[in-house]
Amino acid sequence: MYLFSKSSERWWNKPLVVWNCKSIPAELAVLNIQLETWPNGAWLNSTKLSTGVVDLVGQEASRKVERIPIPNWVKERLSQIYEQASVSKGCPDVVVWNEDTRAIHLLEVKRYKKDRLSVDQKRYMEVAPQMSVSSEVIEWDYE
């Protein structure tokens, strides 16, 4: 479990954590931690697979997300998992990948004792390993 300092700020009514002296969603803090071992990644903060969030920039009311395109081979694999799992939502929050090995790892970020997996998320994460995509639930809370 990851423990973060609580930010006094919110974004889209979402509580923020302090990571490297910056207020960001827990999903972005987890992404940053994962990028210490994985070369690429993004927070998929919507059901669209075309882009992912890598940073939150600006001050409180004017915050905007910085997005990157998700590589086609990653989008295709995630779409295949959706199809195989027979769900229209449920892909975990954070996706990290390695272009060289074509490995993908998915992380669903949940606040400890506050959030739980939906039925669709459970199904998606059950099917992912069958398609050579690892996945895990990462819990976080405030220190």
Side-chain angles (χ1 to χ4, degrees):
M1 176 166 48
Y2 295 124
L3 294 175
F4 300 113
S5 297
K6 186 174 186 174
S7 171
S8 60
E9 301 171 33
R10 295 178 78 78
W11 175 69
W12 287 93
N13 206 27
K14 185 175 189 56
L16 301 179
V17 302
V18 177
W19 177 256
N20 288 339
C21 301
K22 187 174 180 180
S23 294
I24 59 175
E27 293 85 352
L28 283 179
V30 169
L31 172 63
N32 281 291
I33 293 166
Q34 293 298 313
L35 290 175
E36 293 172 7
T37 15
W38 287 84
N40 307 96
W43 170 31
L44 301 175
N45 71 333
S46 70
T47 56
K48 296 178 184 171
L49 300 176
S50 57
T51 64
V53 176
V54 292
D55 201 3
L56 188 61
V57 294
Q59 297 299 316
E60 295 190 44
S62 64
R63 280 195 172 96
K64 297 200 183 322
V65 293
E66 180 180 323
R67 293 183 167 276
I68 62 164
I70 303 297
N72 285 334
W73 66 273
V74 174
K75 288 189 293 193
E76 288 169 12
R77 181 60 54 86
L78 298 178
S79 294
Q80 290 167 351
I81 297 169
Y82 271 124
E83 186 176 321
Q84 186 70 28
S86 299
V87 294
S88 61
K89 55 186 177 182
C91 183
D93 298 310
V94 174
V95 59
V96 290
W97 64 89
N98 184 316
E99 290 279 345
D100 295 334
T101 64
R102 296 289 172 123
I104 301 171
H105 185 62
L106 305 171
L107 300 105
E108 179 58 35
V109 180
K110 296 291 188 192
R111 184 160 175 210
Y112 181 68
K113 292 190 177 181
K114 298 281 184 182
D115 300 321
R116 53 180 91 157
L117 293 174
S118 71
V119 172
D120 289 343
Q121 288 171 325
K122 286 179 187 175
R123 179 70 184 139
Y124 194 98
M125 293 179 74
E126 287 169 0
V127 170
Q130 298 168 17
M131 302 188 73
S132 302
V133 175
S134 59
S135 65
E136 68 180 304
V137 176
I138 297 289
E139 292 184 315
W140 71 276
D141 207 351
Y142 296 115
E143 295 178 308

